[in-house]
Structure formats: structure tokens, C-alpha cells
């Protein structure tokens, strides 16, 4: 699920995407779970905050 959320989220390059909060709420996944998954990926430097 978190892989899907990461693929569909809005970014600077893809502003037409969805907010992580909306995707997590719709898929019934906590945002903390999603961000933990993103941070645990090999070679990932942690999420950037706006």
C-alpha cells in the first residue's frame, strides 16, 4: 500500500497528485506507517518536510 501511496502522492514534479493524508485515509493506512516505510527504504535519506 505504501508503495502505491508514494507513487500517487503530489510532488513538485507532479502537482496533480493526491495528498498523503487523503491517500492514507482512503486506504486505511496510518501516515506514520507510510512515512516509516519510506524512511526504511535502502538508500533513502529520510523524507523532506515542506
Amino acid at each position: 500500500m505504501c508503495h502505491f501511496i508514494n507513487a500517487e502522492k503530489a510532488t513538485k514534479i507532479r502537482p496533480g497528485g493526491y495528498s498523503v493524508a487523503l491517500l492514507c485515509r482512503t486506504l486505511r493506512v496510518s501516515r506514520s506507517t507510510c512515512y516509516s516505510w519510506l524512511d526504511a527504504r535502502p538508500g533513502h535519506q529520510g523524507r523532506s518536510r515542506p
Side-chain angles (χ1 to χ4, degrees):
M1 294 266 187
C2 293
H3 182 72
F4 173 79
I5 291 169
N6 189 45
E8 294 299 319
K9 70 181 179 182
T11 62
K12 288 181 182 179
I13 297 169
R14 188 170 174 246
Y18 301 97
S19 73
V20 172
L22 174 64
L23 291 166
C24 288
R25 195 169 45 248
T26 303
L27 296 171
R28 297 181 188 220
V29 176
S30 71
R31 284 188 298 163
S32 62
T33 298
C34 190
Y35 286 123
S36 293
W37 177 85
L38 288 172
D39 288 342
R41 293 184 304 168
H44 192 267
Q45 299 299 320
R47 70 179 170 136
S48 60
R49 295 187 179 207

